[in-house]
Amino acid sequence: MEQFNLLDIANTISLRNIASSIENKSQIYIDENKSLSILIDDELYEKEFQSTSPLNKDKLYIILSKIISKKPKNIIIDLDISPDYNFQNNKNTNNSLYKLLKKHSKNINFTLPFAIYSKTKENKSIKRTWMKNMCKNGISFAIPFIHSQMGISLNFYDYKNSLYNTTLKNNSVCKNLLNSKNGIYTLLKKYKNDFKNSKEFPINFENSNSSNIILTSINQLNSYSLKDKTIFLGGKYGYSDKYLTPYGEKVGTQIHEAIFYTQTHKINNANTSITVFADLFLAFTFGLLLEKILEFRKKAQSLNIIAVLNILLFIFLILFIFISSYISSHIYHNFYIWLNPIPLIIGMFLDSIIGLSQKENINKDILNWKNILYYLFVLIFIILGVYSILLTSLNL
């Protein structure tokens, strides 16, 4: 609530509701994509990992072995694969996962998330030692932060040490781990401040629905060609790490992949004078058509015709809101400008309806409570209209 006022919340709710108007609902991966998200689905999470976290590293070893055999260019793992406290005394095959990464690090760029969560002091020490060891073997670490407000992710910070900037070898995360004596949380605090102070850009989600492989079975990976691609491996299971976008709900890994795609497919910024004109054009087109219907209503000779026209007015209002929202969503997706014609439309509609009956029975007493109520409504929706135009012209 510190970031949004009530009308901003209305804008984001509208954006959420109209996502389906242009969303490509197909989740089928298109082979032409140079980057993609491979997501562990709820079904695979329950069947192979018994719905436990952290994930079983032996199962992850199998998944990564299959991905590596396809010879991708980069593999970014958006999962916590860091060792736990009992790891150093554990004789199982967990260490095989780390050996696998080290073995192929010369041919594939691996990036792992910074090990953030540590319950004990001993655990922090183990994780730090492990990260340093992986850094020495040519494996990078990055910060998995995602910029969101009220669960809505539209922008990203161009922070060089983020997961989506994955091609950086020997990044400063590894340099700090190897050269600094600071603890994990001290470094993490520094990264968080640097992240928030980075330049902000809009995320291009245009490719996000065709760059996913949803894993319901490990053997499913045999069907895909991943050669020279950038792979983001993460989870689609659970209820956390999910964000609203103009193209529907996405998990964190998909956000990272969309940002990676944005690096080479940035969204164009629209000319603000053109968008202001488009905003006003939508509203006043509605006003012109509304006026024509009201003229017919005024000339109607029977109550039945008036009733039909009243119903037509309501249907026309709903229809025009959907049409204008559809147009606005296209402009947003292509130019990162969110037009908000709805306050103008509703304002003009109520002004016309209230004003129609008011003008038919105009009272010379300006202080009459009906007149006061009428002008109060007019003032409120003039303010909403001006606010709508300012949102557009200031690119908010």
Side-chain angles (χ1 to χ4, degrees):
M1 295 301 289
E2 293 176 357
Q3 301 294 332
F4 287 90
N5 61 38
L6 291 176
L7 288 175
D8 290 322
I9 294 172
N11 286 335
T12 56
I13 292 173
S14 299
L15 188 62
R16 175 181 184 175
N17 290 338
I18 65 173
S20 60
S21 68
I22 65 169
E23 181 181 352
N24 175 11
K25 296 183 182 301
S26 171
Q27 296 292 324
I28 299 174
Y29 166 61
I30 296 177
D31 189 54
E32 295 177 358
N33 295 333
K34 294 183 179 180
S35 64
L36 68 143
S37 303
I38 298 179
L39 303 172
I40 297 172
D41 197 20
D42 289 275
E43 182 180 339
L44 183 61
Y45 179 60
E46 293 171 5
K47 182 172 63 177
E48 297 289 349
F49 296 97
Q50 286 75 52
S51 299
T52 58
S53 185
L55 299 180
N56 183 292
K57 293 180 176 62
D58 295 335
K59 299 292 184 182
L60 284 174
Y61 172 88
I62 297 173
I63 291 175
L64 275 167
S65 294
K66 287 183 176 292
I67 294 175
I68 289 171
S69 68
K70 302 284 185 177
K71 298 182 179 180
K73 182 178 181 181
N74 304 298
I75 298 178
I76 299 90
I77 302 175
D78 189 24
L79 297 165
D80 183 8
I81 65 169
S82 61
D84 55 27
Y85 177 61
N86 294 320
F87 175 78
Q88 57 187 358
N89 299 317
N90 201 335
K91 301 298 183 181
N92 64 21
T93 59
N94 281 352
N95 198 38
S96 298
L97 176 63
Y98 304 143
K99 289 180 178 179
L100 178 71
L101 299 180
K102 294 175 184 177
K103 178 181 177 181
H104 294 278
S105 62
K106 292 182 180 180
N107 300 318
I108 300 174
N109 297 324
F110 291 103
T111 304
L112 308 180
F114 191 89
I116 294 174
Y117 302 106
S118 302
K119 294 182 179 179
T120 65
K121 184 177 181 181
E122 293 82 3
N123 195 237
K124 292 177 191 176
S125 177
I126 290 170
K127 288 179 185 291
R128 181 184 174 87
T129 301
W130 169 76
M131 284 192 288
K132 290 174 70 174
N133 180 263
M134 299 300 279
C135 283
K136 290 177 180 177
N137 283 274
I139 296 168
S140 300
F141 283 88
I143 305 302
F145 299 150
I146 291 176
H147 174 44
S148 68
Q149 293 177 312
M150 298 179 66
I152 299 169
S153 184
L154 298 176
N155 307 319
F156 74 97
Y157 291 128
D158 191 22
Y159 179 48
K160 66 178 181 179
N161 293 320
S162 291
L163 273 179
Y164 37 80
N165 284 322
T166 56
T167 55
L168 296 173
K169 295 292 288 184
N170 299 318
N171 60 6
S172 61
V173 173
C174 274
K175 289 179 182 177
N176 287 332
L177 282 168
L178 294 172
N179 300 327
S180 173
K181 295 182 180 180
N182 292 325
I184 285 180
Y185 288 153
T186 302
L187 290 174
L188 192 60
K189 185 177 180 180
K190 175 186 181 303
Y191 297 141
K192 189 173 182 179
N193 290 333
D194 293 345
F195 177 79
K196 289 184 175 180
N197 291 325
S198 301
K199 193 171 182 180
E200 189 175 348
F201 294 96
I203 303 174
N204 187 352
F205 288 101
E206 183 181 9
N207 206 47
S208 59
N209 285 328
S210 62
S211 59
N212 304 302
I213 295 176
I214 311 298
L215 286 184
T216 56
S217 167
I218 293 177
N219 291 330
Q220 188 179 338
L221 285 168
N222 298 332
S223 306
Y224 298 99
S225 172
L226 306 177
K227 184 175 175 58
D228 295 328
K229 299 184 186 297
T230 295
I231 309 299
F232 287 79
L233 176 63
K236 195 175 184 291
Y237 52 84
Y239 298 99
S240 60
D241 195 35
K242 293 186 177 180
Y243 306 87
L244 286 175
T245 75
Y247 280 80
E249 189 176 69
K250 304 293 179 186
V251 297
T253 305
Q254 291 173 299
I255 301 291
H256 288 301
E257 192 276 328
I259 298 172
F260 182 83
Y261 174 80
T262 304
Q263 307 287 345
T264 53
H265 299 79
K266 286 184 167 44
I267 295 177
N268 296 320
N269 289 316
N271 183 291
T272 53
S273 60
I274 295 176
T275 53
V276 169
F277 172 79
D279 203 359
L280 291 172
F281 177 79
L282 284 174
F284 286 109
T285 300
F286 171 78
L288 179 63
L289 296 173
L290 179 64
E291 182 66 25
K292 292 298 181 183
I293 296 176
L294 290 175
E295 282 184 17
F296 286 119
R297 185 183 183 278
K298 188 175 181 180
K299 296 176 182 178
Q301 299 297 319
S302 69
L303 292 176
N304 288 337
I305 295 177
I306 291 176
V308 170
L309 288 172
N310 285 340
I311 295 172
L312 182 62
L313 280 171
F314 181 75
I315 294 174
F316 180 63
L317 171 67
I318 301 300
L319 182 63
F320 201 86
I321 285 177
F322 274 99
I323 292 173
S324 60
S325 296
Y326 181 84
I327 295 171
S328 295
S329 67
H330 270 288
I331 294 174
Y332 180 87
H333 289 302
N334 289 300
F335 301 107
Y336 190 57
I337 292 287
W338 171 239
L339 302 184
N340 186 28
I342 295 175
L344 273 173
I345 290 170
I346 296 177
M348 295 177 74
F349 180 80
L350 291 180
D351 180 28
S352 299
I353 298 303
I354 295 172
L356 185 67
S357 59
Q358 185 66 19
K359 290 167 187 175
E360 290 172 351
N361 302 286
I362 191 70
N363 193 311
K364 293 182 180 180
D365 184 5
I366 195 66
L367 297 179
N368 182 282
W369 71 270
K370 291 184 179 179
N371 285 330
I372 293 174
L373 183 62
Y374 166 69
Y375 288 115
L376 180 61
F377 268 105
V378 171
L379 179 62
I380 289 173
F381 287 104
I382 286 175
I383 292 172
L384 286 173
V386 171
Y387 176 81
S388 172
I389 295 171
L390 287 176
L391 276 179
T392 303
S393 60
L394 297 178
N395 193 15
L396 296 178

